[in-house]
Amino acid sequence: MTFEEIVIRCRRAQRIAVLTGAGISAESGVPTFRDAQTGLWARYKPEELATPEAFQRNPKQVWDWYTWRRERVLQVQPNAGHYAISQWEQHVINRGGDFALITQNVDGLHKRAGSQHLLELHGNLFRTKRWTDGVVIDTWSAAESPPRCPQTGALLRPDVVWFGEMLPHDLLREAMRVTTVCEIFLCVGTSTQVYPAAELPFIALRNGAIVIEVNPQPTPLTPHAHYVFAAAAGHCLPPFIHVICGSE
Ligand code: BV8
């Protein structure tokens, strides 16, 4: 499809779904999973640390990695790509349409950019839960690493989905629903390699949606997308969304 056709379809669409991955936060200074780890964590691969086995084996090491990531994220801001998606959502909602943002990211930057209908498939860095029963705990002492639940003494862990763990059923079901009924599926900054999230753009394709990809690198989705912005999200999304939303 041509750019002009894509713009017309996006302007007319009443049901939009967006999937984002680590790439949309890259321009905020948050390293992606494909980026080499830096500093203290240079010798580890995220897939090795983001697992229940790693936490079982060395809870302090895993907790300290997430503390490092939280501290990094607190020092950065959402970028123009996050804000463009949030602006598109407002534009669609104001016209009575449906808009859903499905993110694999746990950095909370979409929420800080004002996105409302947000499905954080893989959890959130800034939420903590009990290792034993998954109950979210809001306050705990940072004296220990990892901290313990003040009520039960159980070890606490980040409330994120690790490799080998099931995604929250209700979130995944809602992500599948919005993907199945959407007219436009925008896929931004994901290597489309981690399942079940990576299946979503293909579900959208199978259900007749127009699928648009934003990624400077080719991915397994690229050959199948109706339109590809081979560019950085922060660079190409703001003008694209501005054209779709018109002069406002
Ligand atoms: C599951 C939270 C059922 C944690 C994450 C063997 C055993 C167990 C499971 C499996 C197995 N084999 C396969 C699986 C399934 C597994 C999986 O898919 N593995 C992959 C590696 C093959 N999935 C799971 O385990 C999931 N659970 O399946 O449960 C089950 C249970 C038991 C047994 C079997 C099945 C859980 C997956 C969730 C893991 N948690 N995050 C944390 O963050 O610490 S995943 C994490 O990695 C991210 O959330 C994200 O999803 C993924 C990384 O992907 P991306 O976001 O795409 O990031 P990436 O760095 O890869 O790519 C960035 C892209 O951005 C690049 O393409 C780059 O070109 C682009 N980019 C860069 N700059 C820009 C840009 N784009 C635009 N603009 C820019 N400026």
Side-chain angles (χ1 to χ4, degrees):
M1 292 181 86
T2 66
F3 180 74
E4 290 69 23
E5 286 168 330
I6 288 291
V7 167
I8 289 167
R9 298 295 290 268
C10 287
R11 278 180 174 161
R12 284 188 193 142
Q14 283 293 298
R15 294 185 306 281
I16 315 274
V18 179
L19 171 68
T20 62
I24 192 152
S25 295
E27 289 154 274
S28 293
V30 180
T32 70
F33 274 71
R34 304 284 144 222
D35 289 341
Q37 292 269 72
T38 56
L40 178 64
W41 306 102
R43 60 184 183 281
Y44 299 101
K45 284 174 65 180
E47 292 87 281
E48 292 159 2
L49 291 171
T51 69
E53 294 76 20
F55 187 77
Q56 192 111 38
R57 192 171 48 246
N58 190 336
K60 177 176 179 359
Q61 178 189 65
V62 174
W63 179 265
D64 289 351
W65 181 51
Y66 281 91
T67 301
W68 177 73
R69 289 174 63 188
R70 265 198 298 277
E71 286 164 358
R72 277 191 74 139
V73 168
L74 286 174
Q75 289 158 18
V76 304
Q77 300 299 325
N79 65 63
H82 294 106
Y83 286 112
I85 291 172
S86 168
Q87 182 204 349
W88 192 13
E89 176 183 19
Q90 276 313 305
H91 177 82
V92 170
I93 299 295
N94 291 345
R95 280 156 183 72
D98 293 318
F99 190 103
L101 171 54
I102 307 160
T103 190
Q104 301 171 86
N105 301 339
V106 297
D107 58 30
L109 290 177
H110 281 301
K111 204 174 287 184
R112 286 171 55 189
S115 289
Q116 307 279 320
H117 189 174
L118 178 58
L119 303 172
E120 292 181 315
L121 281 190
H122 295 159
N124 189 300
L125 268 184
F126 297 95
R127 235 185 4 254
T128 299
K129 66 183 181 184
R130 277 200 295 246
W131 168 239
T132 44
D133 56 10
V135 169
V136 172
I137 301 295
D138 292 330
T139 51
W140 31 268
S141 154
E144 286 184 275
S145 171
R148 289 185 174 274
C149 172
Q151 284 85 30
T152 67
L155 276 182
L156 301 182
R157 55 162 283 186
D159 187 10
V160 297
V161 179
W162 281 331
F163 288 99
E165 291 186 321
M166 305 297 279
L167 276 62
H169 187 64
D170 56 335
L171 281 182
L172 185 55
R173 194 175 54 231
E174 176 64 3
M176 294 280 189
R177 184 192 69 78
V178 299
T179 297
T180 304
V181 301
C182 72
E183 299 165 80
I184 305 285
F185 190 94
L186 176 68
C187 193
V188 186
T190 177
S191 55
T192 327
Q193 292 179 38
V194 175
Y195 287 83
E199 187 61 29
L200 293 172
F202 297 96
I203 293 173
L205 280 169
R206 288 198 291 273
N207 283 276
I210 299 285
V211 174
I212 304 164
E213 182 179 43
V214 176
N215 196 321
Q217 301 297 326
T219 72
L221 176 64
T222 307
H224 306 278
H226 291 88
Y227 194 83
V228 175
F229 290 94
H235 179 74
C236 68
L237 277 182
F240 176 53
I241 303 296
H242 182 75
V243 167
I244 293 171
C245 297
S247 54
E248 68 174 73

